[in-house]
């Protein structure tokens, strides 16, 4: 065939297509000349208006099969065979889910269709309302059935009993005389035992839901595909649908022996999901309550334990016989072991309850490492092993960095004590390097027994020990590394181990590097000479054992201590005694609690134009929010009980 001929044929084809296109458009606009929806007279003007708007929207039709596009008002549409979306689809799903039985398979298929159509209905509505600038809910809703007719779903015939108000009373009863779904079943010569216009129900309820902003569902109660005279639907809020359907089935006007219906489980499933979510929330809450209980319990045990150890410590400072010294040392060691275990349990439960408060304060890393060095030396000495201890510190690190010093010490304590526990000879090296400008890398390296590759992850799990016999040999609860891992992660770092069995282990952990001072400042830093302290402190504590112990320790640290047994006594002392340098205030106390006493003191100071006296709060529950409550009440600092006495003395020194 010549090229000229080919071109002529092509042009003729295009002309024919254009002709078809023009005919389609004409047919389309001719539809809008009649009514596309049948409604009660009272609301007809609304729907006439909707017809105008939707008709306008659909008049702008472009079909271009050479590009595979059908566009209406610049939106792309797709033509789908009606039966592909109805009986063909259900057939396939029924086949796919045949193992569940015919009834359930059909119900699964219908639910799929309902969900898809419901979502399409909602989105079509949203898009149409936006495009046509519709804001009034009634105008939004009435465009639905018209749009429905234009896009080939069905013609809608709304019954006069309908009450489409945007609330719980919403009720719509309507027929679809030419539903595409029922039609596709009838044309295929198939008869269904149940209503089939599922997408119609889904789409129309989706559109109305979007228009009125309330959840809606629709149920088909009679269907032409099963031989009924009409395809009749009822639409209402999901929780009311059963009531309406019951009324319909008992209404003499509609009495029809063949009524069968399915209420789509779209909302049921949402309800189940909601129930599941609530059940999970409940489980999480009870888990949290358990952790809180554990945290409180271990705290309660910790307080008397601390008193026991504190008093043993004091007795050891006195002259005692060698035999009694031995007893006391054993008592102290056992007490400390128990306290460590309780502290670990408290930490784990606090972490699990999401109540661990992490600080970020400027602190000298080299000081902290020096402290750990002397602590570890003592431990090595006690272990009786000949282990060399090496500390490495990089000068590239700023003197002061933002960290939580207590938590960092806790991690290093765990790693160092493990290293000492699992090493008989050789060396332990620990230190910190600046990995890059944002990251510090700490390490603790030992020449001990090492850990198998397969056990290297297990040891970071709760109670994970390489083998149970190590507990007997070396002691330990198996919580240390779990806590260290959680602490490191909460502080924004990572922890891992590198080891070859029999050749020692190196534990690494990283923490974000946040310098609080420059490196240069470090050189200029002068060492503070501790002053002789003879300042007067007011200790407010209702627990007499704790009060006496804290008083003794503070006195040994060189302070004069006056005591008050509750908040009221504290306020009275405060008003009469003029030379109080610091108030140490317990929070939970009878008569007047610590927060109220603090508020009264602050009020008194303001009234009398007195200088502000530092108040350090002591609270029994180191729970989230406590710190804020203390600061809000007027405290300057906050320590959680049981008080580590060196921490208390150091805190006091900050203010004197
Ligand atoms: P604990 O030491 O209290 O048992 P950890 O969580 O600190 O608990 O340690 C868990 C286990 O990891 C230990 O029981 C031990 O089997 C192993 N482990 C920890 N550190 C080392 C180490 N430095 N060398 C060899 N094994 C170690």
């Amino acid at each position: 065939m010549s090229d000229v001929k080919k071109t002529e044929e092509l042009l003729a084809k295009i002309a024919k297509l254009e002709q078809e296109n023009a005919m389609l458009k004409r047919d389309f606009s001719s539809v809008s000349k009649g009514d596309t929806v049948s409604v009660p007279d009272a609301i007809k003007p609304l729907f006439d208006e909707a017809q105008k708007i939707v008709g306008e929207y659909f008049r702008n039709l472009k079909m271009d099969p050479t590009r595979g596009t059908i566009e209406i008002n610049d939106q792309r549409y797709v033509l789908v065979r009606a039966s592909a979306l109805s009986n063909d689809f259900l057939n396939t799903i029924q086949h796919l889910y045949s193992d569940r039985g015919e009834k359930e398979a059909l119900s699964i298929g219908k639910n799929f269709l309902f969900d898809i159509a419901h979502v399409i209905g909602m989105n079509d509505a949203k898009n149409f309302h936006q495009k046509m600038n519709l804001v009034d809910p009634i105008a939004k809703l009435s465009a639905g059935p018209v749009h429905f007719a234009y896009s080939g779903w069905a013609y809608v015939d709304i019954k006069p009993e309908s009450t489409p108000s945007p609330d719980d009373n919403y009720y719509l009863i309507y027929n679809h005389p030419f539903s595409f779904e029922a039609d596709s079943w009838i044309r295929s010569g198939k008869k269904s035992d149940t209503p089939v216009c599922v997408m119609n129900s889904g789409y129309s309820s989706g559109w109305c839901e979007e228009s009125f902003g309330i959840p809606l569902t629709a149920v088909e109660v009679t269907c032409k595909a099963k031989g009924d005279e009409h395809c009749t639907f009822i639409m209402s809020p999901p929780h009311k649908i059963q009531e309406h359907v019951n009324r319909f089935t008992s209404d003499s006007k509609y009495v029809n022996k063949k009524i069968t219906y399915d209420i789509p489980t779209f909302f049921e499933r949402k309800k189940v999901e909601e129930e599941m979510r609530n059940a999970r929330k409940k489980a999480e809450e009870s888990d949290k309550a358990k952790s809180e209980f554990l945290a409180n319990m271990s705290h309660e045990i910790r307080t008397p334990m601390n008193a026991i150890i504190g008093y043993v410590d004091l007795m050891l400072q006195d002259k005692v016989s060698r035999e009694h010294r031995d007893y006391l040392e054993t008592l102290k060691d056992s007490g400390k072991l128990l306290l460590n275990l309780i502290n670990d349990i408290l930490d784990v439960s606090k972490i699990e309850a999401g109540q661990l408060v992490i600080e970020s304060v400027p602190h000298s890393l080299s000081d902290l490492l020096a402290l750990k060095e002397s602590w570890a030396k003592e431990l090595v000495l006690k272990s009786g092993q000949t282990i060399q201890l090496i500390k490495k510190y990089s000068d590239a690190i700023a003197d002061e960095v933002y960290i939580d010093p207590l938590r960092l010490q806790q991690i290093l304590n765990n790693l160092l004590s493990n290293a000492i526990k699992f090493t008989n000879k050789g060396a332990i090296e620990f230190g910190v390097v600046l990995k890059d400008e944002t990251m510090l890398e700490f390490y603790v390296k030992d020449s001990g027994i090492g850990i198998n590759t397969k056990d290297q992850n297990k040891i970071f799990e709760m109670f994970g020990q390489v083998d149970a016999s190590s507990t007997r040999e070396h002691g330990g609860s198996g919580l240390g590394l779990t806590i260290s891992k959680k602490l490191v992660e909460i502080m924004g770092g990572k922890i891992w181990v590198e080891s070859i069995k029999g050749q020692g282990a190196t534990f690494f952990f990283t923490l974000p590097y946040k310098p609080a001072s420059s490196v240069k400042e470090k050189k200029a830093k002068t060492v503070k000479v501790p002053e002789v302290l003879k300042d007067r402190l007011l200790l407010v504590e209702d627990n007499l054992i704790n009060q006496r112990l804290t008083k003794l320790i503070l006195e040994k640290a060189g302070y004069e201590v006056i005591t008050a047994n509750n908040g009221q006594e504290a306020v009275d002392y405060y008003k009469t005694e003029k030379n109080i340098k610091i108030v140490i205030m317990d929070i939970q106390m009878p008569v007047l609690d610590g927060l109220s006493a603090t508020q009264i003191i602050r009020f008194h100071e303001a009234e009398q134009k007195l200088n502000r006296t530092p108040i350090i709060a002591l609270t029994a529950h180191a729970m989230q929010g406590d710190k804020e409550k203390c600061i809000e009440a007027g405290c300057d600092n906050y320590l959680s009980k049981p008080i580590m006495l060196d921490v208390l003395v150091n805190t006091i020194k900050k203010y004197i």
Side-chain angles (χ1 to χ4, degrees), residues 10 69 92 113 197 215 273 322 325 376 397 435 507 524 575 649:
L10 215 60
T69 56
T92 314
L113 286 179
C197 304
E273 271 169 34
R322 180 189 285 245
R325 180 164 296 276
I397 300 169
K435 196 75 186 143
F507 283 83
K575 287 184 178 167
V649 172

Side-chain angles (χ1 to χ4, degrees), residues 377-394:
K377 269 186 181 152
E378 213 172 292
L379 218 59
V380 171
L381 216 65
K382 270 195 185 162
S383 77
Q385 318 280 22
T386 41
I387 308 168
Q388 198 194 351
L389 193 72
I390 307 157
K391 180 195 77 181
K392 292 251 168 94
Y393 179 75
S394 161

Side-chain angles (χ1 to χ4, degrees), residues 418 421-422 446 450-451 459 464-466 470 476-481 507:
N418 275 347
K421 200 157 69 174
F422 296 107
D446 66 54
I451 307 157
I459 56 171
Q465 292 176 323
V466 171
S470 81
S477 64
L479 287 175
L481 287 177
F507 283 83

